[in-house]
Amino acid sequence: GTVKTITWNALADFGNQENSSMKARLVATDSFGNQSIPVSSANFIADTKVPLIANVLAVQNSGNNYVTISYDLSDVSTSSVALAVSADGGSTWNVTSTNVSGAVGGNISAGTGKTITWNAGSDFPGQQIANMRVRLQATDVYNNIGNNVESADFALDTKTPLITNVYAAQILNSDNFSFTYDLFDSGAVIVNLDISSDGGSTWNVATSSATGAVGSGVTPGFGKTISWNGNADFTNHQNDNMKVRVRATDSFNNTSINFESAVFVLDTLAPAPAIVTDLQTQPV
């Protein structure tokens, strides 16, 4: 008859193998001992070997909340690659990772330098963790399932910096001001300063003379201090409704809300003595 079928359990007879130049050869012998010539198939693939993932590396991108995951994949066929994320060094793997793109999911071809991008800011916001991990597992088209392969620990920061205890006061016997605050974050940040002369309705007082813990490279800590020359930026004013506000942006572009001080008094107005002119009528 036609379309006769033979099923061969390649996993049992040819386990952990991966070969793209396999052939099958058939020889038929009838009941009278007449034997056919051997007939071979075309080349075919036999894949009983699990796909191999190696060199898994994960790092958060500078300037944003995306994590880039790179790896190498070895197999004779395409594979489905699954990603899992841990927030405790691999003890559990329950971090959401739905916002991913790149070499993840089905139909991933073998090769080096495969890349996955994970939007951690969307899936895992408000976190600051030093021992994050990812793991990858590949399953090829023949359902050979590879081992889970983990990255080393990496740091993740999707949390905005925190500022507390903002305080502002004019220094006695001078036109200089001291603004202090406490800063909490995992590394150096950019601190922005604004000054208001109307209790926070507008923030358009100049800050060009501000020095100290302002601008880039401000490290976390208590009692961070900004010095401001009120006479240079806000000359000849007397105001009891001043405010300052500060906000911080870390290296991953996590930006805090504005944290305001209480109202404080400013006096850069020089005292002016009253002059009284005594006009007397002179005789003509």
Side-chain angles (χ1 to χ4, degrees):
T2 59
V3 196
K4 312 300 287 186
T5 301
I6 299 171
T7 300
W8 172 50
N9 187 339
L11 179 61
D13 289 337
F14 199 60
N16 199 34
Q17 302 291 324
E18 194 174 57
N19 196 306
S20 59
S21 56
M22 302 289 291
K23 281 189 175 184
R25 185 176 69 180
L26 301 180
V27 176
T29 304
D30 66 18
S31 57
F32 300 103
N34 301 307
Q35 190 175 76
S36 71
I37 62 172
V39 179
S40 298
S41 70
N43 286 353
F44 66 94
I45 295 172
D47 184 359
T48 60
K49 187 176 182 180
V50 299
L52 297 178
I53 287 178
N55 302 321
V56 180
L57 175 67
V59 63
Q60 183 173 357
N61 301 339
S62 178
N64 59 51
N65 285 171
Y66 289 83
V67 173
T68 296
I69 304 158
S70 60
Y71 66 96
D72 300 335
L73 174 63
S74 300
D75 200 70
V76 74
S77 62
T78 59
S79 298
S80 176
V81 176
L83 167 68
V85 182
S86 171
D88 52 18
S91 296
T92 61
W93 297 90
N94 51 16
V95 176
T96 300
S97 57
T98 56
N99 285 278
V100 293
S101 59
V104 64
N107 201 34
I108 307 301
S109 59
T112 59
K114 315 299 289 187
T115 302
I116 300 170
T117 301
W118 173 46
N119 186 344
S122 176
D123 282 338
F124 203 53
Q127 304 294 325
Q128 202 170 38
I129 297 174
N131 58 337
M132 298 291 294
R133 280 192 190 187
V134 299
R135 73 180 182 191
L136 300 175
Q137 186 178 47
T139 303
D140 68 19
V141 294
Y142 304 107
N143 205 37
N144 300 307
I145 302 173
N147 295 326
N148 284 304
V149 182
E150 299 179 11
S151 71
D153 288 350
F154 67 97
L156 178 70
D157 185 357
T158 61
K159 185 177 183 179
T160 59
L162 175 65
I163 293 174
T164 61
N165 300 323
V166 181
Y167 179 76
Q170 185 167 358
I171 298 172
L172 290 177
N173 302 316
S174 78
D175 287 329
N176 294 322
F177 291 76
S178 177
F179 309 144
T180 60
Y181 62 93
D182 300 333
L183 173 64
F184 303 91
D185 200 67
S186 61
V189 301
I190 299 170
V191 173
N192 293 98
L193 168 70
D194 297 310
I195 303 176
S196 172
S197 61
D198 53 14
S201 296
T202 61
W203 299 89
N204 50 18
V205 176
T207 61
S208 61
S209 66
T211 59
V214 64
S216 61
V218 180
T219 56
F222 295 94
K224 311 302 291 188
T225 302
I226 300 172
S227 298
W228 177 61
N229 188 332
N231 189 50
D233 283 333
F234 204 54
T235 310
N236 291 328
H237 284 82
Q238 233 174 8
N239 193 308
D240 60 0
N241 200 25
M242 302 292 294
K243 270 190 175 185
V244 299
R245 69 183 185 186
V246 287
R247 65 187 178 277
T249 302
D250 66 19
S251 60
F252 301 108
N253 206 36
N254 300 305
T255 301
S256 73
I257 61 173
N258 287 301
F259 295 89
E260 298 182 10
S261 71
V263 170
F264 66 96
V265 176
L266 173 141
D267 185 0
T268 60
L269 182 66
I275 300 175
V276 178
T277 303
D278 186 9
L279 299 177
Q280 297 181 356
T281 302
Q282 302 297 322
V284 178

